Structures are given as C-alpha cells and as structure tokens.
Amino acid sequence: MSNASLDAIAAKSDQPFPGAPNNWRRFFSFSTDHKVIGIQYMVTAFVFFLIGGLLAMVMRGELITPEADLVDRTVYNALFTMHGTIMLFMWTFPMLNGLSNYLVPLMIGARDMAFPRLNAAAFWLVPVFGTLLMASFFVPGGPSQSGWWAYPPVSLQNPTGNLINGQVLWLLAVALSGVSSIMGAVNFVTTIFRMRAPGMGWFRMPAFCWTVLSAQMIQLFGLPSLTAGAVMLLLDLTAGTSFFDPAKGGDPVLYQHFFWFYSHPAVYVIILPIFGTFSEVFPVYARKPLFGYRFVVVSSVIITVLSAMVWVHHMFASGTPSWMRMLFMFSTMLISVPTGVKVFAWVATVWGGKLRLDTPMLFALGGLVCFLFAGITGVMLGAVPFDIHVNNTYFVVGHFHYVIYGATVMGIYAAIYHWFPKMTGHMYYEGLGKLHFALTFIGVNLNFFPMHPLGLMGMPRRVSSYDPEFAYWNVIASLGGFLLGVSTLPFILNIVSSWVLGKRAPANPWNAIGLEWLIPSPPPVENFEEIPIVVSGPYGYGSNESLVSNNPAGELISEHS
Ligand code: HEM
Ligand SMILES: [Cu+2]
C-alpha cells in the first residue's frame, strides 16, 4: 500500500488513534498484518495455557495425597502427556511466535514481515493442529499416554487397535506444528536479513531481534529431525514398518536421537526470546545502556551453534557409551559460558541503575532469579554421575519448570506488560500487575522448589501415587500449584479491563529507546509513515543521541505525543 491509503486512514475522525483501525473483527479474519497475526497467536496461545493449566490443577489435586484416588492411573498418564504437549506446542511456541511477530518488524523499521500471507497461513495452522490434539480426548482410548516425548516402545502400543487413536492424532498434530514453525522461521529469518531499515547495521539491531534470529535458525536446522522422527513413528504405528519397534528389529534409541536432536535445541528456541526480553526490559527500567551489547548478541549466536551439540545429555541413561557421555557432558558445560556472559551483562545493567519497579521490571527480575536457579540445577544435571542418579525423578521436573515457568512464563509476562500499551493503546493497571507478579513468584517457588528435594529423595516422575514419605513436599507443591492457577485471574482481569477501559497510552509511556516507541500506540496499519533512517545504536540511555534522522511517524505523532 502507498502512503496515500495511510493518510486516508488517519483522516477518519472517528478513529481513536491516528492510523490504527478500530475494528476488533480483524482479529478473527485472515489478516496479513503482522500486528494482527501477532495478537492472534498470543490470544490463541493463552487459551491453551489455561487448558494446560487446568490439566496441571487436576494432576496437583491427585498428588496432594500419596494414594491414586482422584483419577484413574491411565487418565493420569494422559493428563501429564497432554499437559506437557499443550504447554510446549500450543502455549510457549505460539506465544513467542506471536510476540516476535508483533515486535520484530516494528523494531527493525519494516512495514510488515517479508511474506505476509505465509505468515497468516502459519498462524492458521495453530488452531488446526490444536483441534486435532484436543480431539484426542474424544477418541476411544483417550489421548496419548506416552509423555510429551512419545518414546517407543510405549508409544507403539495401541491398546484399542483403532487406526485413529490418541497417539496418531498426537503425531499428526506435532508434525503439523513443525510445518507451521518452519513456515514461521523462513519468514523471520528473511525479514531480519532483508528488511532492516536503512542505517540499521547488524550491531545496531536490538538484542531481542538477535535472539529471534538465533531461535528461528534453530527451528530451521532442528525441526526436520523431529518431523522425520514423528513421521517414522507414525508409519510404525499405522503402516507396519519397524523403524523403532525392538520386537521387529527396530531401534527405539534411534527415535530418542531424532527427538532430542530437535528438542534440546528447542529449549533454546524458547529461552532465547526471553533473554531478548530481558535485554530490552532491563535498560529501560534501570535507565542505563545494555551492558556489553556486542557480547550479549554474539553470545546468542554461540548458544545457537552449541545448542546443536548437546542433545545426548537427555540420553545419559539410555545405554549411551561412556566416551559419548563424556563428550556431551563437556559440551553441555560449555554452553553455560555464553549464558553466563548474558547473566553477567544483565546484572551489570541493573547494577547501580535508577530502578523503576514497574510490573514488567518485576517480572523480568523474578524471571532472571528463577533462570539462575534453573541454570545451576541444569549444570548439575549435565554432570553424568549426578544425572544417572536423578534421571526420571522429580528433580528433572523441578529443573525444567524453573526454566519454563519461572524464567519463560515470567519473561513472557514481562514482555506482555512492557509492550501492552504499544499493542493496545491503553495502559494496564499497575496495582493488579504487581499483585499478579507477587502471586506468580510465590506460586512458582512453592510449586517447583519442593520437586528438587523430592527428586533427591528418589520420587519418580510420571506417577499418580507415591510413598507416604514424599507427602510433605507434595502438599506444599500442590498448594503452590493452586496459587499459580489463582495468579492468572488478576492478569486476565487486568488485560481485559484495561484493553477496554484503560487510560490512553502515549506513543512512548516508558521513555524507552527503540523504533517501536517512535510511532503511535497502537501503530498504524503500515507501522511507519516514513521508513526510519537509523543513525545510532539501540541502547543510548543517558546520552542525548537521537536514534533516527527523520520522523517515522510523519504527521501522526505530533497530534498526541
Ligand atoms: C500451574 C502450573 C503448572 C503445574 C502445577 C505443573 C505441574 C506439572 C506436573 C505435576 C507434571 C507431571 C509430572 C509427572 O508426573 O511426571 C508436569 C509435567 C510437565 N510440565 Fe508442567 N506444570 C505447570 C506449568 C507448566 C508450564 C507453563 C509448562 C511449559 C511452558 C509446563 C511444561 C511441562 C512439561 C514439558 C512436562 C513434562 C510432561 C511429560 O512428562 O511428558 N508446565 N507439570
Ligand atoms: Cu537439553
């Protein structure tokens, strides 16, 4: 579209914000606007977060007593399988894709993603495979019970004998999710390579965009492996092949390689954009430049490379030969170096700054604390003798929930609050935000800390009943779990009420530096009336350097900033 159409939109006097369409119906349409698609991803993902959370509540209800008294054991198997699958494939990935979709074009000064229609198609696959996955609750035999990693031979059992069963639907959904993610990755990588505004050299690009680029590169090299594994398993299950079936000469450990070759790097697909969020949020609320910007962004690339070389740390107990275990123990330890560089940089950014403890900053700080803890237990698990000891115990569950809830979900909340005024044009309610933070932070620690002592005591994961000696910590964990359930209520209330009634947000409520803050909130359809010309780096806090040499908002900004 040309600028003419933009002017026409801006001219309509009934628009609440210059240039931003005031039409909620577009969120239900096949829109090719990256901002609409971003919000579609985020809202869809959040619905699945609530479904996954409800399943967790039932699990914690079962685990509050040692006996298996609330649900049948096979139902419990289905619960943890669907909980893990939904939380990863239906919540975390789509949520992060949504945030990245919304933010990357704005941050690099582009009018949209490189391939808008591919973008929309990738999004619309999410409800398709989401529905496939949910359908498995309604087929005979119920959902898959083989855990989110679907190891054969367990995943090859087909007790009902039906062709359409929970495991088959699970595999179809995961394969489709891979297709959607690859479509998204091609789009992100192309956009970041080709569509940066003039003057935005690689080392003037915000750290968030570097992390998205790194994460999406991982999707490109990793997903083919997962998809291949899933298709081979599907063939074993439906067409009588025997790639993985030991009874017919297949090799189940081969599947583990296919699975973890992707699924370990996938944890970096998740955590890298969270690292990017930390790098954006800390400078704004500490009023200081990001410490060691170049080291921070280069470490994302190093993490990307190393993440491809550590997957066997998930297979230390799978009959892996010792020399191989040593090799992967070493590479796993190595990856803590670039990660440590980042943590050091964030602490140095916050250190001695004028801290403003608004909700986004609280969530980012809380997320960082949880990430540190998870990083320490992660290094412990990387040590072969320790891992052999706690493999398949609650220690592992505790470790990854600190990463995935403590750091990732809290990091996602930090990002939502930070960019909410930009996305919606309204301010959220700070008091509700702080309440949400307090409940989440306390809930995470009550829920997931006890899993560590439980694991060390030897409590296995994926069980619905346990020895009474484990009861003490499980009661605490369950109470923490229920608290986390409650914690989502002030969030939902805040988002819905402030989106409808909240105070109007100015273009730049946080006094932040970045191209997205130079244009109105919410941004007009084509983002920038004039493509910005970038003349300095992204974190010039405390200096009076200007970020651009023109006014990318054109006429629009002067009206209300
Ligand atoms: C209220 C919040 C949550 C609670 C109470 C909770 C609780 C649990 C429980 C009880 C298990 C099963 C443990 C077992 O029997 O082995 C589990 C597994 C898991 N959770 Fe969560 N969880 C929560 C949030 C999340 C989130 C936000 C994510 C991801 C973003 C997540 C990802 C997973 C994964 C991947 C598994 C492993 C599933 C498997 O073993 O196949 N959880 N969780
Ligand atoms: Cu791993």
Side-chain angles (χ1 to χ4, degrees), residues 46-393:
F46 191 76
V47 170
F48 281 100
F49 180 53
L50 294 180
I51 299 175
L54 279 178
L55 304 183
M57 298 296 104
V58 182
M59 284 193 287
R60 285 305 343 165
E62 171 64 81
L63 293 173
I64 203 165
T65 57
E67 301 79 31
D69 41 15
L70 185 63
V71 293
D72 191 79
R73 287 173 200 279
T74 56
V75 173
Y76 188 81
N77 293 346
L79 284 175
F80 70 68
T81 300
M82 293 300 273
H83 165 73
T85 307
I86 289 172
M87 287 302 195
L88 293 168
F89 292 102
M90 303 308 306
W91 152 246
T92 314
F93 286 123
M95 180 69 213
L96 293 171
N97 264 342
L99 273 174
S100 310
N101 232 299
Y102 198 99
L103 293 172
V104 166
L106 295 179
M107 285 183 158
I108 64 172
R111 289 212 161 105
D112 207 318
M113 296 277 281
F115 309 115
R117 263 181 288 185
L118 185 68
N119 201 17
F123 163 72
W124 282 103
L125 276 176
V126 176
V128 172
F129 60 78
T131 309
L132 263 182
L133 197 60
M134 301 315 287
S136 66
F137 279 107
F138 305 99
V139 296
S144 159
Q145 297 181 37
S146 59
W148 81 278
W149 55 30
Y151 278 3
V154 177
S155 52
L156 288 176
Q157 297 168 349
N158 180 3
T160 58
N162 288 343
L163 189 60
I164 302 296
N165 57 59
Q167 190 67 54
V168 165
L169 290 173
W170 186 95
L171 283 164
L172 287 173
V174 167
L176 272 181
S177 148
V179 173
S180 159
S181 296
I182 289 179
M183 286 156 71
V186 170
N187 215 344
F188 279 115
V189 172
T190 314
T191 306
I192 293 174
F193 265 89
R194 304 293 304 164
M195 296 180 59
R196 280 169 294 133
M200 183 173 279
W202 285 111
F203 287 113
R204 280 189 185 160
M205 186 163 81
F208 182 82
C209 301
W210 275 95
T211 58
V212 172
L213 178 64
S214 307
Q216 299 295 336
M217 292 278 203
I218 294 177
Q219 296 284 49
L220 286 183
F221 75 66
L223 271 168
S225 164
L226 177 76
T227 313
V231 170
M232 286 156 86
L233 193 59
L234 194 62
L235 291 176
D236 275 10
L237 208 53
T238 55
T241 58
S242 51
F243 294 110
F244 304 132
D245 188 352
K248 298 189 201 148
D251 183 359
V253 176
L254 178 64
Y255 174 85
Q256 299 188 15
H257 283 289
F258 274 111
F259 182 83
W260 287 112
F261 183 80
Y262 169 67
S263 294
H264 175 79
V267 306
Y268 287 93
V269 176
I270 293 171
I271 203 70
L272 277 165
I274 300 303
F275 289 171
T277 302
F278 290 166
S279 297
E280 300 303 325
V281 167
F282 289 138
V284 176
Y285 299 86
R287 311 311 299 161
K288 278 173 66 193
L290 177 62
F291 184 90
Y293 162 74
R294 279 179 189 239
F295 288 96
V296 171
V297 299
V298 169
S299 62
S300 297
V301 179
I302 297 175
I303 288 175
T304 303
V305 175
L306 287 179
S307 78
M309 305 181 204
V310 299
W311 79 95
V312 177
H313 65 211
H314 293 275
M315 300 168 59
F316 285 154
S318 304
T320 309
S322 316
W323 63 266
M324 208 162 148
R325 297 202 294 204
M326 289 303 121
L327 215 64
F328 280 90
M329 171 163 111
F330 181 72
S331 61
T332 302
M333 302 277 167
L334 211 58
I335 210 162
S336 55
V337 177
T339 314
V341 166
K342 282 178 185 285
V343 172
F344 177 80
W346 296 321
V347 173
T349 305
V350 173
W351 201 264
K354 278 191 235 133
L355 297 198
R356 288 195 316 219
L357 293 179
D358 295 312
T359 307
M361 183 63 164
L362 288 175
F363 270 109
L365 287 171
L368 179 57
V369 169
C370 291
F371 180 71
L372 261 177
F373 187 77
I376 292 167
T377 55
V379 174
M380 290 165 77
L381 288 168
V384 174
F386 184 85
D387 185 72
I388 298 289
H389 185 65
V390 298
N391 180 259
N392 258 320
T393 71

Side-chain angles (χ1 to χ4, degrees), residues 359 362-363 366 410 413 417 430-446 480 483-484 486-487 490:
T359 307
L362 288 175
F363 270 109
M410 295 232 279
Y413 283 139
Y417 284 107
E430 193 59 52
L432 276 177
K434 292 208 164 97
L435 173 68
H436 175 212
F437 168 73
L439 296 178
T440 309
F441 190 71
I442 297 169
V444 162
N445 288 291
L446 280 183
L483 189 62
L484 280 178
V486 172
S487 77

